Amino acid sequence: MSGAARPPSAMRRLTAEVRPTLILACAIQGVGAVAGIVPFVAVVELAGLLLGDGPADQAIRWAWIAGGALAVRLFCLIASGALSHRADADLQLSIRRQIAAHLSRVPLSWFSRRNAGALKKTLLDDVAALHDVVGHAYTATVSAIVLPVAALAYLAWRDLVLVPASLFPVVVGMALYAMQFRGYGEKMQAYETALAQIGAAAVEYVQGIAVVKTFSGTGRAFSRFTRRAEAFLEMFWNWISGLLSYAAAADIVLSPLTAVLIASGLGLSMAEAGWITTVDALALIVLAPALTAPFLALSFAQHGVMQARKAADRIVEVLDAPVLTRPDAPRVPTGNRIVFESVHAAYDDDRKVLSEIDLALEPGTTTALIGPSGSGKSTLAKLLPRFMDPVAGQITLGGVPLPEIAPETLYARVGYVFQDVRLLRASVRDNIALGAREADLDTVMGAARTACIHDRITALPRGYDTVIGEDVTLSGGEAQRVTIARALLADPPVLVLDEALAFADADTSQALRNALAAWSGRRTLLIVAHDLATVRHADQICALDEGRIVERGSHDALIRQGGLYARLWRAGERAA
């Protein structure tokens, strides 16, 4: 019974699209490798003619052959290198586009299990690491095979006894390298893990520097980073120091000078014993570097190749991350009524966040989600625009389950304002018009006025043309109002606000609430709030605790119940 076909290696899978170019580059490199042997052969044949007093025209012919071969060799090197590097550039661009497109469809729960440093390393460093293989290793491998084979073929043609003599330094050098790379896979895994930990520690330190400085923890936070770096250095040195002796011995044995010395000793000894001719000995000496130099070049590149293979594994792991499904035959919702039916949600198999969520959002109403930290408010809100899918139950929009709606249709109907604001490095106008690029300046300004950010924008150095992150850095509240203006300009029938007023002062918060109330009209609002005063007038308030809706109703009704909402309300009044 035949077994299942083995899946292609990560490197083979990633390079499939540039394989024709690489095959052509390798073929040209092979021709160049053969051409590279011809000048050495010409030297031997010329020596034979001179020692044997051969005809001058043959000597001239061999000289022309050597010159032509050098020209072919040069052309092949340039052409092969250009093709392999073009393939490398095309591949890196393609992979980065694939990763970006894939990550746009990956649920947010996947990101919660990975740190920013490791993901940045995959997207940038790991993709760049493929250069050693695509740009150099394939063509170098062809040379390492063709060059010695061509040299051995010529030596065998002259005298078979030359073959084992020529292979002696190669066998010794390869044995030393084999000893050097024992257990390399485990050591490389530890190296990559330590490197990712340093990157994560650096990102964590930089991102949290404001908090660290505020609480005088700079020294402690920086010491954590330096400890990671010192641990990496110690691990790396212990690994490398154990390899140095083997590496040095192998490099010496395979160096051209050593190869020539060994070949000289063996060739002259065999010539003196009468086993071979003097010209045969010269052939052995001249071609010795052609046998060892390719292996030496490959050994120098071996570390980069192994790193590239590990990088390819990590890239494929990201590309194989599960994505949210897309419908083959999308359906169009009828209306904008939203219903959660027995919804359960989890970030992984053993950490459930929501259980038995039954909730209806009627068109034109405002629903608020409140509750203690970790109760599942933001997770419930993220289900609506499909930033993640429930593990059980379903959510419908206009009678259609969300997975059956085309993403562009869903995002046109459901807008989202994040608590964690991210603005593009672009003009304020472009940031606001991100979801409505055809909007004119007057329309953009109208949305900014509604979001209470117009006056601040006009005070910027270049007004609406000011580039965020280049001309100015906005405060948290200002950036959040820009994102609110963006959502208002897109004008979705359903808008989710996840702590969207968290950074606003009391006056601005009240103005924004009034503006949103006037704007909403027939639109549906789902608001995640910590400050209960911002949602007091919501049509429906849902109190969550430990992933369940434990109360729902209006403000007055929930106060009369005296449950979780009433306790949180009283706690807020005392804090005020």
Side-chain angles (χ1 to χ4, degrees), residues 159-426:
D159 194 322
L160 284 174
V161 75
L162 297 175
V163 173
S166 64
L167 290 176
F168 177 74
V170 174
V171 173
V172 174
M174 290 299 99
L176 290 171
Y177 273 122
M179 296 174 68
Q180 176 187 356
F181 287 106
R182 285 181 303 179
Y184 188 89
E186 293 79 4
K187 295 292 185 180
M188 178 58 74
Q189 183 63 45
Y191 170 84
E192 296 292 348
T193 300
L195 205 59
Q197 289 175 345
I198 290 178
V203 171
E204 178 185 0
Y205 176 71
V206 173
Q207 289 181 342
I209 191 65
V211 175
V212 170
K213 281 182 172 291
T214 300
F215 292 95
S216 303
T218 308
R220 292 192 299 274
F222 185 69
S223 66
R224 284 196 295 271
F225 170 71
T226 55
R227 283 199 300 271
R228 290 278 177 87
E230 289 168 356
F232 167 78
L233 181 61
E234 181 180 0
M235 181 278 299
F236 183 72
W237 175 246
N238 290 337
W239 174 29
I240 294 300
S241 60
L243 305 179
L244 290 179
S245 57
Y246 291 118
D251 291 347
I252 291 173
V253 171
L254 292 175
S255 67
L257 178 59
T258 303
V260 169
L261 291 175
I262 294 175
S264 298
L266 291 174
L268 293 176
S269 298
M270 289 190 295
E272 186 176 355
W275 295 355
I276 59 175
T277 67
T278 303
V279 176
D280 291 337
L282 178 62
L284 181 62
I285 296 169
V286 169
L287 292 174
L291 293 167
T292 59
F295 292 100
L296 185 63
L298 282 182
S299 69
F300 288 153
Q302 186 68 14
H303 179 72
V305 170
M306 290 187 174
Q307 280 189 313
R309 288 175 178 168
K310 294 287 186 181
D313 290 338
R314 289 189 294 271
I315 292 170
V316 167
E317 181 184 357
V318 171
L319 291 175
D320 286 343
V323 298
L324 296 174
T325 58
R326 298 175 67 94
D328 295 328
R331 297 171 58 190
V332 178
T334 302
N336 298 298
R337 186 172 188 265
I338 298 165
V339 179
F340 292 73
E341 301 177 64
S342 300
V343 169
H344 296 248
Y347 283 106
D348 48 50
D349 294 337
D350 58 356
R351 188 162 66 92
K352 292 185 178 180
V353 184
L354 296 173
S355 300
E356 292 294 341
I357 300 297
D358 291 293
L359 177 64
L361 309 182
E362 301 296 340
T365 64
T366 297
T367 298
L369 304 177
I370 66 96
S373 297
S375 59
K377 305 184 298 295
S378 291
T379 300
L380 194 156
K382 289 171 182 174
L383 293 173
L384 187 50
R386 285 198 76 199
F387 293 156
M388 59 186 296
D389 277 341
V391 296
Q394 73 171 2
I395 306 168
T396 60
L397 171 63
V400 180
L402 297 186
E404 298 180 24
I405 303 173
E408 55 272 15
T409 301
L410 178 62
Y411 297 144
R413 294 194 177 218
V414 179
Y416 197 101
V417 178
F418 293 89
Q419 177 183 6
D420 186 14
V421 179
R422 289 290 184 269
L423 296 179
L424 303 180
R425 193 180 186 88

Side-chain angles (χ1 to χ4, degrees), residues 41 91 101 137 293 339 389 406 411 432 437 502 518 563-564:
V41 172
L91 181 64
V339 179
D389 277 341
Y411 297 144
I432 294 176
R437 297 186 181 277
L564 173 62

Side-chain angles (χ1 to χ4, degrees), residues 21-22 25 30 75 83 89 171-173 274-275 320 361 413 469 505 520 535:
T21 304
L22 289 175
F75 169 80
L83 286 171
V171 173
V172 174
W275 295 355
D320 286 343
L361 309 182
R413 294 194 177 218
D505 56 53
S520 58
V535 296

Side-chain angles (χ1 to χ4, degrees), residues 535-567:
V535 296
R536 177 174 181 172
H537 300 291
D539 299 290
Q540 177 181 215
I541 299 173
C542 297
L544 279 81
D545 191 23
E546 296 184 352
R548 297 176 179 270
I549 297 178
V550 295
E551 296 175 348
R552 73 182 74 202
S554 66
H555 168 79
D556 293 336
L558 293 177
I559 289 295
R560 286 194 298 271
Q561 287 183 21
L564 173 62
Y565 179 83
R567 292 196 302 273

Side-chain angles (χ1 to χ4, degrees), residues 17-60:
E17 63 183 272
V18 296
R19 191 166 299 138
T21 304
L22 289 175
I23 290 174
L24 179 58
C26 289
I28 295 174
Q29 183 76 9
V31 173
V34 173
I37 285 293
V38 173
F40 296 98
V41 172
V43 169
V44 176
E45 295 299 326
L46 283 170
L49 291 171
L50 294 174
L51 291 175
D53 196 22
D57 60 333
Q58 289 190 24
I60 295 173

